[in-house]
């Protein structure tokens, strides 16, 4: 009986925790492998889409040739005795140009069909805050240090809180945000995860490189971003910021930039949780 008690204690206190940890690791690896496969499939779809776009552009380039030829001929002056033959040639060229225009219109509509784009066709689904955090942490640590991650929420909040989001768009969003940080950072940056009731806040902050002109430009970009002035942001060659703006809107995430004390560039994201 005493030996049985010892075995039970060993199993409960030593063996069981080890097996639970192993099981969690195996489960985590399985989840990662499944996501890796999904990402590979998605990347393959994106590659096919990009290839189709490149082929379409090449097609359009070729189809513009008859149109260009027609306008070149229409401006040409010919002697009176050759006018009839020239008019026949011009009409044939015009016919080919009209056929090309119809083909260009058809192909353009195909390219503009958003249902075929992997970047505009997306589905929102529930994601645990824990998985949300794990995804962002992975992207962050690929570029910066894990020690710069600050967590201000409990494991229970991570496990029980859900958000409607799309994994692929989320990866695109944070990749752009991090690239933007790298553009202006002097090497010191942090990311803070906070949670309060059903609202999560993610704050990304970095020290800005010295340089009065760059800081002034950044201040103007921040003001335009918060005022949703896409045109002015585009003029400043900040396509990444426009992309951040559009993706955050698509995901239903509040996004605001700030330039604190003319030193700290901050991106604040706010997500509203959903019930299970």
């Amino acid at each position: 009986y005493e030996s049985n008690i010892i075995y039970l204690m060993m199993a409960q206190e030593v063996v069981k925790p080890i097996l639970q940890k192993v099981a969690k690791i195996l489960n985590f690896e399985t989840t990662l492998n499944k996501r890796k496969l999904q990402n590979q499939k998605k990347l393959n779809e994106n590659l096919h889409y990009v290839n189709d776009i490149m082929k379409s552009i090449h097609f359009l380039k070729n189809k513009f040739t008859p149109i260009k030829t027609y306008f070149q001929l229409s401006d040409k002056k010919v002697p009176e005795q050759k006018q009839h033959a020239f008019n026949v040639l011009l009409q044939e060229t015009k016919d080919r140009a009209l056929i090309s225009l119809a083909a260009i219109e058809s192909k353009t509509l195909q390219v503009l069909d958003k249902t075929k784009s992997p970047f505009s066709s997306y589905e929102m689904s529930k994601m645990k805050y824990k998985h949300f955090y794990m995804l962002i942490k992975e992207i962050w640590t690929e570029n910066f240090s894990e020690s710069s991650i600050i967590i201000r929420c409990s494991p229970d909040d991570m496990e029980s809180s859900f958000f409607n989001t799309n994994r692929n768009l989320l990866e695109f969003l944070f990749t752009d945000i991090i690239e933007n940080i790298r553009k202006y950072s002097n090497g010191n940056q942090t990311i803070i995860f906070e949670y309060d009731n059903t609202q999560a806040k993610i704050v990304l902050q970095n020290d800005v490189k010295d340089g009065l002109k760059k800081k002034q430009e950044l201040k103007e970009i921040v003001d335009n971003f918060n005022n949703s002035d896409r045109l002015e942001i585009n003029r400043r060659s900040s396509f990444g910021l426009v992309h951040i703006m559009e993706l955050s809107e698509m995901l239903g995430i509040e996004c605001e930039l700030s330039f604190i004390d003319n030193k700290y560039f901050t991106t604040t994201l706010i997500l509203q949780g959903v019930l299970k």
Side-chain angles (χ1 to χ4, degrees), residues 11 94 109 137 173 190 247:
K94 181 180 179 181
L109 290 174
K137 178 184 175 183
L173 172 63
T190 57
L247 287 171

Side-chain angles (χ1 to χ4, degrees), residues 3-243:
S3 63
N4 286 340
I5 291 177
I6 293 173
Y7 286 133
L8 287 171
M9 289 176 63
M10 286 287 291
Q12 184 68 26
E13 300 298 327
V14 179
V15 178
K16 183 179 178 181
I18 292 174
L19 292 177
Q20 286 178 331
K21 191 167 186 178
V22 170
K24 286 182 179 179
I25 292 172
L26 291 174
N27 182 55
F28 180 67
E29 288 182 348
T30 302
T31 302
L32 284 180
N33 287 332
K34 287 180 180 178
R35 287 180 179 173
K36 183 179 179 181
L37 180 61
Q38 291 173 352
N39 287 339
Q40 287 176 336
K41 289 180 178 178
K42 190 65 179 178
L43 285 172
N44 189 44
E45 291 175 5
N46 294 350
L47 179 61
H48 284 295
Y49 177 74
V50 172
N51 285 335
D52 287 342
I53 293 296
M54 292 179 66
K55 291 176 183 176
S56 296
I57 292 173
H58 183 69
F59 171 86
L60 294 174
K61 178 178 177 294
N62 290 336
K63 288 298 178 182
F64 272 111
T65 302
I67 301 172
K68 183 179 177 181
T69 303
Y70 170 73
F71 281 107
Q72 288 174 339
L73 285 176
S74 62
D75 292 333
K76 192 173 181 180
K77 302 296 183 182
V78 296
E80 185 67 29
Q81 61 272 21
K82 296 183 179 180
Q83 189 66 48
H84 177 72
F86 176 76
N87 289 339
V88 173
L89 176 62
L90 187 63
Q91 184 61 45
E92 291 175 353
T93 307
K94 181 180 179 181
D95 293 340
R96 287 197 296 270
L98 290 173
I99 293 172
S100 290
L101 275 174
I104 289 171
E105 181 182 16
S106 176
K107 181 62 70 175
T108 302
L109 290 174
Q110 290 178 27
V111 172
L112 293 176
D113 185 359
K114 291 188 175 182
T115 61
K116 297 180 181 179
S117 170
F119 306 106
S120 60
S121 178
Y122 65 94
E123 182 179 349
M124 304 287 277
S125 59
K126 287 183 181 179
M127 177 186 284
K128 282 185 179 181
Y129 192 32
K130 178 180 72 174
H131 297 152
F132 187 91
Y133 161 77
M134 288 165 59
L135 172 62
I136 299 169
K137 178 184 175 183
E138 182 181 352
I139 300 172
W140 180 268
T141 52
E142 284 178 358
N143 295 273
F144 309 121
S145 170
E146 188 173 343
S147 61
S148 58
I149 300 175
I150 301 171
I151 304 172
R152 294 176 181 167
C153 53
S154 68
D156 289 340
D157 288 334
M158 287 275 195
E159 187 67 37
S160 60
S161 304
F162 289 78
F163 300 90
N164 272 329
T165 190
N166 177 275
R167 182 182 179 84
N168 290 320
L169 294 184
L170 202 58
E171 288 190 64
F172 293 147
L173 172 63
F174 273 89
T175 298
D176 276 342
I177 290 175
I178 287 174
E179 283 303 310
N180 205 48
I181 289 174
R182 292 169 66 90
K183 180 178 178 181
Y184 297 108
S185 176
N186 65 359
N188 297 315
Q189 53 277 318
T190 57
I191 180 170
I192 303 170
F193 292 87
E194 299 179 348
Y195 187 82
D196 181 21
N197 295 325
T198 60
Q199 180 176 280
K201 181 187 290 186
I202 301 169
V203 181
L204 305 96
Q205 188 175 86
N206 61 275
D207 296 354
V208 177
K209 297 175 183 177
D210 292 330
L212 184 60
K213 183 179 179 181
K214 184 176 286 292
K215 287 186 176 183
Q216 182 60 31
E217 288 178 356
L218 185 56
K219 185 178 183 302
E220 292 174 1
I221 287 173
V222 166
D223 291 340
N224 292 326
F225 183 93
N226 293 334
N227 293 329
S228 300
D229 195 341
R230 288 177 173 80
L231 179 60
E232 192 59 38
I233 293 173
N234 273 326
R235 285 175 179 168
R236 298 180 182 277
S237 302
S238 300
F239 174 74
L241 288 174
V242 175
H243 204 215

